[in-house]
Amino acid sequence: MSRLDNLEYLASADPAGMGEWVAGLPEQCEEAFRLGQEAPLPEAAGVRQVVVVGMGGSAIGADLLRGYVEGEMAIPFLVSRTYHLPAFVSRETLVIASSYSGNTEETLSAYGEARERGARMFAIASGGELERRAQADGVPFCRIPGGYSPRAALGYSFVPLLAVLSRLGLIRDRAEDLAEAVKVMRELRAELGQGTPAADNPAKQLAERLYGKLPFIYGAAPWSSAVAYRWKGQVNENAKNLSHSNILPELNHNETVGWEFPERLTAQIEVVLLRDREDHPKVQRRFEVTSTIMRPHVSGITEVWSRGHSILARLFSLIYHGDFTSYYLALLNGVDPTPVKVIDYLKGELAKV
Ligand code: PA5
């Protein structure tokens, strides 16, 4: 029997309940959509760009959103992950500050710059300094529930922004697509959840293949690339495991050449390909040719195909698969998936400066 089928072990190795947070993503998305529908809106007439400022677990929701709406939004959408804003940000830019804790220094710094430049603003947090400033500045604010790890609150960082963009008329309404995404995740939960034995559970099986290996996660532009980055971050933070992600077709123009050396390391790479039936036909072909080139060098290759009809459902199906896989990998690694002591230490050191 796989260690991952021992439910007592899963409960004792995960005292904060990351497994429940992972499994609860569909319900979180429903609640998050409601929050986004009720949030006060910024003035968006004449907006020429959208910039989301945020870091880590709070920025990834914006990355996913950016990739998802790229084919529809008529104005540029950028995710900025640092202290300073790009020079173009002005009164005609909508700046959305997203910080789960509300206390991330890079996000607060960018928020301050956006205010100085007179940008239209919107803020989202579970509280903290960002909420305090937004309330004091009269910036439209969406409060999301506290008590989660930021990465476990992905629904709360992504879905309200989706609802806000559609209410502002920047993208079409997504209520139906979100309902489908929730339905697809609920169906997947029966397959990927803790109660399903490894013999029938693709996420447990994939975690076992990734155990002791270096996971390389490849997605495609415009949106599964952001999902690949989400997988990488989840493997890093939940499983405390190094990981790498990259994007097709871009990686065919550089990384493909690098699989030869160092041999003792490439042999430890376990590749995960995030596949979607609507990827560009040339990208589909690139996945196949790339697999052929990689296979002799790497430990193994697994394809994970998206499920569902709408892009949103397909995107969430891949996220859900990755969240479960990284959670199971944490338990195989024998680490508590929730705490991220290194991030806490870094934030503490930087706060002293
Ligand atoms: O997953 C994490 O804990 C981090 O990546 C945080 O999300 C990141 O440090 C930013 O913090 P916050 O999301 O509170 O703004």
Side-chain angles (χ1 to χ4, degrees):
M1 184 176 92
S2 163
R3 232 184 340 153
L4 297 175
D5 292 342
N6 180 341
L7 297 182
E8 273 174 29
Y9 169 65
L10 297 195
S12 68
D14 175 25
M18 178 61 77
E20 278 167 38
W21 285 337
V22 166
L25 185 59
E27 288 70 30
Q28 185 185 124
C29 286
E30 285 180 319
E31 164 71 359
F33 193 66
R34 192 183 61 72
L35 293 175
Q37 296 288 42
E38 290 170 1
L41 291 179
E43 175 53 60
V47 158
R48 295 170 62 135
Q49 310 93 13
V50 176
V51 176
V52 181
V53 296
M55 303 300 301
S58 294
I60 186 66
D63 280 337
L64 291 158
L65 182 61
R66 197 206 66 73
Y68 172 51
V69 301
E70 186 181 288
E72 181 182 350
M73 243 171 88
I75 57 174
F77 183 145
L78 193 95
V79 182
S80 179
R81 288 177 155 88
T82 188
Y83 295 87
H84 292 299
L85 288 171
F88 68 76
V89 171
S90 71
R91 290 174 185 280
E92 294 172 329
T93 310
L94 169 60
V95 174
I96 300 173
S98 173
S99 168
Y100 184 72
S101 62
N103 292 322
T104 297
E105 61 176 36
E106 297 94 319
T107 313
L108 291 170
S109 164
Y111 173 95
E113 283 195 3
R115 290 279 302 157
E116 279 165 23
R117 294 198 209 165
R120 327 283 174 88
M121 307 273 310
F122 183 80
I124 179 165
S126 67
E129 177 66 8
L130 184 57
E131 172 168 18
R132 198 195 61 70
R133 287 199 204 172
Q135 304 287 20
D137 296 339
V139 165
F141 176 74
C142 177
R143 185 187 299 112
I144 51 180
Y148 290 77
S149 292
R151 63 191 181 283
L154 177 75
Y156 289 126
S157 63
F158 175 0
V159 176
L161 301 189
L162 182 70
V164 164
L165 291 190
S166 92
R167 287 172 64 212
L168 292 175
L170 296 172
I171 57 169
R172 69 171 170 80
D173 179 65
R174 287 309 204 282
E176 263 182 37
D177 295 359
L178 189 77
E180 198 222 347
V182 167
K183 180 173 157 284
V184 166
M185 283 192 279
R186 285 195 178 127
E187 287 162 7
L188 269 175
R189 184 159 54 198
E191 244 178 86
L192 308 178
Q194 290 104 317
T196 305
D200 303 314
N201 187 322
K204 288 184 179 176
Q205 290 167 12
L206 181 52
E208 279 168 359
R209 283 197 292 283
L210 296 179
Y211 176 59
K213 297 282 165 39
L214 193 53
F216 269 40
I217 321 292
Y218 290 160
W223 60 265
S224 70
S225 46
V227 182
Y229 191 63
R230 164 73 176 179
W231 274 62
K232 174 201 126 41
Q234 290 292 78
V235 169
N236 293 150
E237 291 188 61
N238 288 343
K240 285 59 174 173
N241 204 117
L242 268 184
S243 179
H244 167 74
S245 71
N246 210 337
I247 307 169
L248 278 164
E250 172 62 17
L251 72 89
N252 281 163
H253 299 271
N254 35 66
E255 188 162 309
T256 324
V257 187
W259 286 315
E260 289 186 40
F261 299 105
E263 283 176 30
R264 72 191 155 78
L265 290 185
T266 55
Q268 298 304 315
I269 293 172
E270 188 68 37
V271 181
V272 180
L273 303 177
L274 302 182
R275 306 287 311 263
D276 182 71
R277 63 173 186 275
E278 284 186 15
D279 279 334
H280 190 287
K282 288 281 197 175
V283 168
Q284 308 275 11
R285 182 76 190 122
R286 283 177 185 277
F287 270 114
E288 286 154 19
V289 178
T290 303
S291 297
T292 309
I293 299 168
M294 282 186 300
R295 197 160 279 114
H297 302 286
V298 299
S299 155
I301 303 173
T302 302
E303 292 192 340
V304 179
W305 283 84
S306 66
R307 300 226 197 137
H309 171 69
S310 64
I311 295 180
L312 195 60
R314 282 158 27 219
L315 179 146
F316 268 112
S317 73
L318 289 176
I319 289 172
Y320 209 40
H321 203 121
D323 285 4
F324 271 113
T325 301
S326 64
Y327 161 71
Y328 293 131
L329 183 58
L331 302 177
L332 290 175
N333 281 345
V335 293
D336 183 343
T338 302
V340 282
K341 290 185 189 143
V342 177
I343 295 177
D344 297 340
Y345 167 76
L346 271 161
K347 285 185 177 177
E349 287 301 296
L350 268 293
K352 294 179 193 161
V353 178

